[in-house]
Amino acid sequence: MEEADRQLLRRCRVRLVSELQVVALWDALLSRGLFTPDMIEDIKRAGSGSRRDQARQLITDLETRGRQALPLFISCLEDTGQDTLASFLRSNRQTATLWKPTPGKPTPVVLKPETPRPVDTGSRGFGDIRAPETPRGNAYVLNADPCGHCLIINNVNFCRESGLGTRKGSNVDCEKLRRRFCLLHFSVEVKCDLTAKKMVLALVELAQRDHSSLDCCVVVILSHGCQASHRQFPGAVYGTDGCSVSLERIVNIFNGTACPSLGGKPKLFFIQACGGGQKDHGFEVTSEDSAPEDRASGSNPEPDATPFQEGSRTSDQLDAISSLPTPSDIFVSYPTFPGC
């Protein structure tokens, strides 16, 4: 989708969520090829399944459906008698089209790679040759289709000897992640119930692929987790045999030396696993600490999480200092603070 259309949808989001009649749209969206039947079912299950939740998810997913997504969506609104919303979007789109940005005006940089992207130099392998400047300056370029590989490891059933319970509900998370990254134009592969050794083999196999024509790589791991000694990336995840693999080892499989075709490209790791046996009980927020809107409404604010205490300093403070990664273009997302 064009950036101008994307911004228009976001500006009009409140009104669309408030007024959009989604039930009437399903057949029109399918007939015009904007969404597949599986995508429609996923939108129907969004949130609580209410009309507003479905409308909100539809608008979000619409941004991923190509350059003609907005005009096709406006046509779907007209086909289903929602002419007021259709005219509202069409007139706002025409107004935005009339405005042209000033030539040469710099575009804000979103993400800045720390190292130049390697370029294949034939028999000499990958050299540190800087790619030509793009209109987005130093922002990551994510134009490839597919954008990159996405590997999801979903460990649900663990051997009895491990003492680890079945992770009920993980299959639901896995399926939603699969659909989401498909919508984001990734080539998605799901592997279920892997031992620690097979997890490492799957990750090494992914790292050894040729990523030179792709722009990104994503690894998602759904499993039990634990604490582990580390220099940069805390925590570890369990295989179904009860053996653990440290996050530091997982990330280093994709460093510039082991995986040169991903050099200078974002490598994203999403870990859905506990970080240890400690339980974060949080702390009670007094009325003086709550936001003004919470005090006005009389609602009870949710307790903030407090990091796991280890000695005289917190483990998250330690990581904030020592865990700035030497490998570049790495993003690791944890569900909890270390130890929790």
Side-chain angles (χ1 to χ4, degrees), residues 78-309:
E78 293 170 337
D79 293 344
T80 55
Q82 302 185 61
D83 297 314
T84 302
L85 280 179
S87 299
F88 172 67
L89 287 175
R90 192 181 298 279
S91 60
N92 276 276
R93 188 168 187 259
Q94 290 172 346
T95 301
T97 303
L98 292 175
W99 179 84
K100 297 293 184 181
T102 303
K105 185 177 181 179
T107 302
V109 174
V110 180
L111 296 171
K112 184 176 181 180
E114 295 180 359
T115 57
R117 176 177 299 185
V119 177
D120 190 351
T121 56
S123 60
R124 294 175 293 170
F126 287 86
D128 290 332
I129 301 176
R130 183 175 297 275
E133 286 294 323
T134 67
R136 292 183 60 84
N138 288 325
Y140 288 114
V141 178
L142 303 178
N143 292 332
D145 192 5
C147 184
H149 293 296
C150 172
L151 173 63
I152 302 176
I153 296 177
N154 181 30
N155 288 343
V156 178
N157 304 295
F158 296 78
C159 70
R160 182 178 301 177
E161 294 76 12
S162 70
L164 299 170
T166 301
R167 299 182 60 256
K168 298 179 180 179
S170 186
N171 288 331
V172 175
D173 293 338
C174 179
E175 177 60 16
K176 288 186 175 181
L177 285 163
R178 185 193 67 82
R179 291 183 178 179
R180 177 56 53 193
F181 281 104
C182 283
L183 284 171
L184 295 173
H185 301 286
F186 280 84
S187 175
V188 182
E189 183 178 4
V190 177
K191 292 182 179 290
C192 298
D193 292 342
L194 300 185
T195 63
K197 182 177 180 180
K198 288 184 178 180
M199 288 172 62
V200 172
L201 290 175
L203 293 165
V204 169
E205 189 275 330
L206 174 62
Q208 290 178 345
R209 296 180 190 177
D210 182 9
H211 301 263
S212 56
S213 63
L214 307 174
D215 290 330
C216 184
C217 185
V218 175
V219 173
V220 182
I221 300 179
L222 313 172
S223 187
H224 287 296
C226 62
Q227 294 188 78
S229 61
H230 66 281
R231 296 181 61 189
Q232 295 174 321
F233 304 100
V237 289
Y238 283 112
T240 55
D241 55 350
C243 297
S244 64
V245 183
S246 71
L247 264 297
E248 191 147 294
R249 181 181 182 187
I250 290 171
V251 171
N252 284 333
I253 289 173
F254 296 85
N255 65 25
T257 302
C259 187
S261 61
L262 275 176
K265 303 177 185 180
K267 295 164 279 289
L268 314 180
F269 299 84
F270 298 94
I271 310 302
Q272 176 57 45
C274 57
Q278 301 290 328
K279 185 174 182 180
D280 187 349
H281 297 284
F283 61 90
E284 184 176 352
V285 179
T286 63
S287 59
E288 288 79 8
D289 296 329
S290 58
E293 57 269 24
D294 291 332
R295 294 196 294 269
S297 63
S299 61
N300 292 324
E302 296 181 1
D304 293 333
T306 182
F308 165 64
Q309 299 288 334

Side-chain angles (χ1 to χ4, degrees), residues 315-333:
S315 56
D316 68 312
Q317 290 172 335
L318 175 63
D319 294 334
I321 297 171
S322 65
S323 292
L324 296 177
T326 300
S328 62
D329 313 291
I330 297 289
F331 174 84
V332 182
S333 173

